[in-house]
């Protein structure tokens, strides 16, 4: 029985072949191994989501935060503000008129574009992909956003506007 | 001298091919389902739905182990079989 000539080639030499054709060739074995590696990476990614949510839960907003004076935001206007926390989140304060105020997170739940309030249609619009939210509840009316906008509770006291976490 | 393996291979020359195709198709199926799980988990984690994230993570790990286990059945490289 003759010896297999391929067996004599050392492993390091197999990795650095002389001919370009051999270097660019991906065998089905290698492809299968790559798919397995990808499968392992996806499993690690999925586990990382669980670990992150268990180990670093998002802290709820505590207390009331002063935003601006009531007189600074006219009826039908909106005011952008940020709250510092574990993350700095931009919010949108909206004066709907007749003493109704709302505060929503300004990031669209689709791809985090900045949303804006449109008083002419009474809705919050995401200009990127034409998503529309209800300006009173934050629910999705139309478009690609999968979830309603997170909302804060607005408190008016002595002409000053405060926000706090929504009590369900 | 021919042995059992050699005569088997000569009788069924497409066996390696079929095995390889089957394993690769299974791996593609596993990876596709895992991508689906990951997408769902990302979306649901944003909604604070932890149970979904845990379920998909377990499912994804099972698929990953299945993928590694499938590698056991990868046929040997054809080059090594050429004994002339």
């Amino acid at each position: 029985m003759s010896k297999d000539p391929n067996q004599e080639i050392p492993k390091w030499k197999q990795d650095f072949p002389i001919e370009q054709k051999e270097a660019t060739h991906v065998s089905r074995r290698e492809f299968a191994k790559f798919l397995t590696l990808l499968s392992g990476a996806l499993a690690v990614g999925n586990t990382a989501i669980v670990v992150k949510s268990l180990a670093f839960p998002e802290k709820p907003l505590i207390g009331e935060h002063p935003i601006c004076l009531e007189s600074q935001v006219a009826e039908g206007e909106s005011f952008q503000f940020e709250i510092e926390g574990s993350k700095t989140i931009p919010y949108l304060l909206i004066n709907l008129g007749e003493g109704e105020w709302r505060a929503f997170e300004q990031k669209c739940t689709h791809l985090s574009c900045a949303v804006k309030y449109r008083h002419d249609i009474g809705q919050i619009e995401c200009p990127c992909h034409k998503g529309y939210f209800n300006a009173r509840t934050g629910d999705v009316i139309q478009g690609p956003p999968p979830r309603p906008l997170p909302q804060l509770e607005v408190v008016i006291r002595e002409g000053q506007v405060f926000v706090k976490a929504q009590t369900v | 001298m021919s042995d059992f393996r050699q005569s088997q291979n000569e009788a069924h020359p497409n066996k390696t091919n079929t095995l390889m195709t089957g394993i690769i198709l299974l791996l593609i199926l596993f990876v596709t389902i895992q991508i689906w799980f990951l997408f769902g988990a990302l979306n649901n984690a944003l909604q604070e739905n932890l149970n979904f994230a845990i379920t998909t993570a377990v499912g994804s790990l099972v698929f990953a182990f299945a993928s590694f286990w499938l590698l056991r059945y990868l046929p040997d490289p054809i080059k090594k079989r050429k004994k002339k």
Side-chain angles (χ1 to χ4, degrees):
Chain A
M1 268 172 73
S2 63
K3 258 194 163 181
D4 186 354
N6 284 306
Q7 294 283 33
E8 291 165 12
I9 301 174
K11 286 241 158 105
W12 66 269
K13 219 169 187 179
Q14 284 176 11
D15 287 339
F16 302 99
I18 296 163
E19 294 199 22
Q20 194 187 12
K21 193 183 159 195
E22 285 176 46
T24 51
H25 176 73
V26 178
S27 69
R28 288 181 298 179
R29 279 176 67 83
E30 284 167 342
F31 181 57
K33 285 177 188 172
F34 167 75
L35 283 176
T36 310
L37 198 68
L38 187 64
S39 172
L42 286 168
V44 169
N46 220 326
T47 315
I49 294 174
V50 178
V51 172
K52 188 178 174 287
S53 6
L54 286 177
F56 311 101
E58 285 198 12
K59 289 170 194 158
L61 196 66
I62 301 163
E64 289 186 355
H65 296 255
I67 303 304
C68 61
L69 292 173
E70 197 181 355
S71 56
Q72 278 181 299
V73 187
E75 191 179 315
E77 294 289 318
S78 59
F79 180 83
Q80 199 223 322
F81 63 96
E82 286 175 351
I83 292 182
E84 304 277 342
S86 50
K87 285 185 284 186
T88 305
I89 301 172
Y91 286 92
L92 199 64
L93 177 73
I94 303 168
N95 183 355
L96 294 170
E98 294 169 5
E100 274 196 274
W101 293 74
R102 294 287 185 279
F104 296 103
E105 205 173 294
Q106 211 195 359
K107 290 193 288 184
C108 179
T109 51
H110 177 220
L111 290 175
S112 297
C113 279
V115 295
K116 61 180 183 184
Y117 174 60
R118 280 186 54 184
H119 192 57
D120 53 336
I121 54 173
Q123 290 171 3
I124 299 169
E125 180 192 40
C126 174
C128 291
H129 303 105
K130 295 288 165 200
Y132 289 90
F133 299 90
N134 187 323
R136 285 176 202 282
T137 60
D139 290 334
V140 181
I141 294 172
Q142 181 197 312
R147 295 177 297 279
L149 286 173
Q151 193 175 0
L152 293 179
E153 198 174 316
V154 183
V155 181
I156 311 279
R157 201 183 307 124
E158 295 163 6
Q160 176 91 28
V161 183
F162 296 88
V163 293
K164 63 178 185 180
Q166 214 175 20
T167 46
V168 183
Chain B
M1 218 179 103
S2 79
D3 55 11
F4 172 75
R5 180 52 48 210
Q6 193 181 340
S7 47
Q8 276 281 306
N9 289 344
E10 277 167 16
H12 309 286
N14 287 332
K15 197 165 60 184
T16 305
N17 212 4
T18 313
L19 259 178
M20 207 55 153
T21 311
I23 288 174
I24 287 177
L25 283 179
L26 263 179
L27 286 175
I28 290 175
L29 177 73
F30 288 174
V31 168
T32 310
I33 296 173
Q34 281 183 299
I35 292 172
W36 182 38
F37 278 179
L38 186 65
F39 183 76
L42 274 174
N43 246 333
N44 277 275
L46 290 173
Q47 221 169 5
E48 292 166 10
N49 191 348
L50 190 63
N51 279 340
F52 189 90
I54 292 173
T55 315
T56 52
V58 171
S60 199
L61 282 172
V62 168
F63 278 121
F65 282 120
S67 303
F68 280 102
W69 173 76
L70 263 183
L71 284 188
R72 278 169 56 102
Y73 299 99
L74 266 188
D76 285 337
I78 298 166
K79 278 179 187 174
K80 283 187 182 172
R81 291 232 193 92
K82 280 182 187 167
K83 287 181 180 175
K84 289 264 167 171

